[in-house]
Each structure stands twice: as C-alpha cells, then as structure tokens.
Amino acid sequence: MVLHLQQVRAAYDHWLAEHKDDLISPVDFEPGEAVPVKLDLPHIIPDPKTAEVEMNWLHQELLGQCRSQGGRYGYGGYLEQRTVYSADSYISVENGEVRRRNLHLGFDFWTYEVGHPVCAPMAGTVHSLQDNAGHRDYGPTIILQHEPQPGLVFYTLYGHLTRDSLGLVPGQFIAAADAIGEIGSADVNGGWVPHLHFQVILDLGESRGDFPGVGYADERDRWAIRCPDPAVFFGLD
C-alpha cells in the first residue's frame, strides 16, 4: 500500500505541476474575495448542553475572521488540527485508549451561502454519491473519478451539498466546469455552517459515496500522501 501510494503520488505531483493552470475552481469567486480562516480555535465555545460547538457562534466566528481581512469567503483547513471536532462521532476507544480524530484532511471553502453552485474542476465521471446524513457528517456527498492520463487515477470528493445534488448517476461523464451540485443548508449538511468540503484522494479503497474527512493527528504523514493539498484546485496554493 505505501509503495503503491508513493508511486501514485509521484505521478500525480508530476501531472499537477504541468496542468494546474488548466484547473477550474469548484467554486466561482473573484480574486481577493476569499481569505484564510482557521478552526483551530483556542477560545472555542461548545454548547453547554451537549459539549459540542454551537454552530451560530461558529458562523459568526468565521464571518468575523473574513470581515477583518476584507473578504467575502473563507478557505483553508488542510491538515489543520481542529478543536471544533467535539462530537462523540469523532471519538473511538482502541485497546482501552480513548482517541479523538481532529486532523482535517480536505479543504473547506466557506461560502456561508446556501445554494452556491459547485462545479467540476476537470473532466471525470461520477464514481459514487450518497447522503451521509449523520450528525456532523458530510450530508449529501459526491465523488468524481478522474483519469487525466493513462495509469493515473484519482478522486475528488464534494461534501455538504444539497439533497438535490444527488441527481447524478454513477458512471455519468462530467466535463470540466459542469455544475454538479450546490452548497447545502445546516439541516441537510450534517449541521455545519454552509461550506464545501473538497478533498483529493489518491486511493479510495473500497469506499463509495463516503471517505474519511477527518483523521488521527498521529497518522498525519500517511494521510498527507493519500490526500494531497487541494488548494491548487481553487487557485489558492
């Protein structure tokens, strides 16, 4: 697995270096409208009844970070360790040891706007789609498969969409810039502030319609090989 991933990663990096200027941002925005925001918040305020982060507070926190930089949208989060992952679904017990997943593996583009269009950054086919309706999960999710050159296959994942976005069909061809969905509201997107979770995945394994978007921090190096930095797809690298 490690050798395979290293070979795929080398091929992906070489292809990306030559073609990154051909990519189309999954979210349309003007230069200067998007500014970096962070969710590794030392002053995080959970809901006192559930010990979870209260989303109205988080919405205002992110908007505040944007406005202070003169931005309209926020972005970031790749390999960011986040205090925001306080729900029980991020906790597991292994050999009597409590572990919490808090390492974000993708790239978030915070539109704050329900219904904001999402498009394909390059040509591909619909691999799979699914409504991951659990609390603090992705909600409606689409995974596209790309084969830009013989022997190089990778995937892009789009999470927190609207349920209407699930009208695509596995195997369907998607051209670059084709609309594939819209940003969903908190009542369908897992309970989050409206945004797009975008993730590049070099080895999807047997996953369909879902793939981890948050991992364990002590596995950072392994995830960094499997899921490269997606910022380049938005022209924000």
Side-chain angles (χ1 to χ4, degrees):
M1 172 69 79
V2 173
L3 178 59
H4 166 71
L5 274 176
Q6 289 174 339
Q7 292 171 335
V8 174
R9 180 57 185 270
Y12 170 84
D13 288 344
H14 184 267
W15 169 82
L16 186 63
E18 294 188 339
H19 297 279
K20 66 177 184 178
D21 292 338
D22 300 329
L23 299 173
I24 297 167
S25 174
V27 178
D28 185 32
F29 65 98
E30 295 295 326
E33 287 186 329
V35 295
V37 297
K38 291 184 175 295
L39 269 73
D40 55 344
L41 306 173
H43 56 292
I44 199 163
I45 301 176
D47 182 329
K49 295 181 181 179
T50 65
E52 289 191 27
V53 178
E54 203 280 314
M55 282 298 122
N56 287 333
W57 175 86
L58 185 61
H59 196 152
Q60 294 306 312
E61 166 70 28
L62 290 168
L63 276 174
Q65 291 186 36
C66 274
R67 300 299 182 259
S68 68
Q69 301 175 75
R72 179 179 178 186
Y73 307 115
Y75 70 85
Y78 176 64
L79 297 185
E80 181 179 66
Q81 285 187 244
R82 292 175 164 178
T83 49
V84 72
Y85 297 125
S86 53
D88 289 345
S89 57
Y90 296 102
I91 299 174
S92 64
V93 179
E94 300 178 12
N95 298 320
E97 179 185 358
V98 177
R99 304 184 73 198
R100 180 184 294 277
R101 293 183 295 122
N102 65 357
L103 183 71
H104 190 247
L105 305 177
F107 179 94
D108 286 334
F109 195 95
W110 302 88
T111 63
Y112 318 108
E113 302 166 4
V114 175
H116 197 112
V118 176
C119 73
M122 57 184 293
T125 58
V126 178
H127 175 273
S128 52
L129 57 166
Q130 180 171 292
D131 189 356
N132 297 295
H135 181 60
R136 295 292 186 263
D137 209 326
Y138 285 132
T141 308
I142 295 171
I143 298 177
L144 300 184
Q145 178 174 322
H146 310 279
E147 188 172 0
Q149 64 186 33
L152 174 60
V153 176
F154 65 92
Y155 307 85
T156 52
L157 180 150
Y158 310 76
H160 309 302
L161 304 176
T162 62
R163 290 205 174 106
D164 288 345
S165 303
L166 298 179
L168 301 177
V169 179
Q172 178 179 344
F173 174 75
I174 303 293
D178 275 359
I180 60 171
E182 298 177 338
I183 300 294
S185 58
D187 60 334
V188 300
N189 77 358
W192 293 100
V193 177
H195 73 289
L196 172 69
H197 173 97
F198 179 83
Q199 191 166 333
V200 178
I201 304 163
L202 301 187
D203 187 337
L204 197 61
E206 300 299 317
S207 297
R208 300 193 64 83
D210 193 13
F211 190 81
V214 182
Y216 296 111
D218 60 4
E219 298 176 351
R220 183 183 190 279
D221 291 345
R222 180 170 69 89
W223 284 116
I225 294 175
R226 193 173 188 179
C227 298
D229 188 348
V232 64
F233 282 75
F234 293 77
L236 293 168
D237 58 323

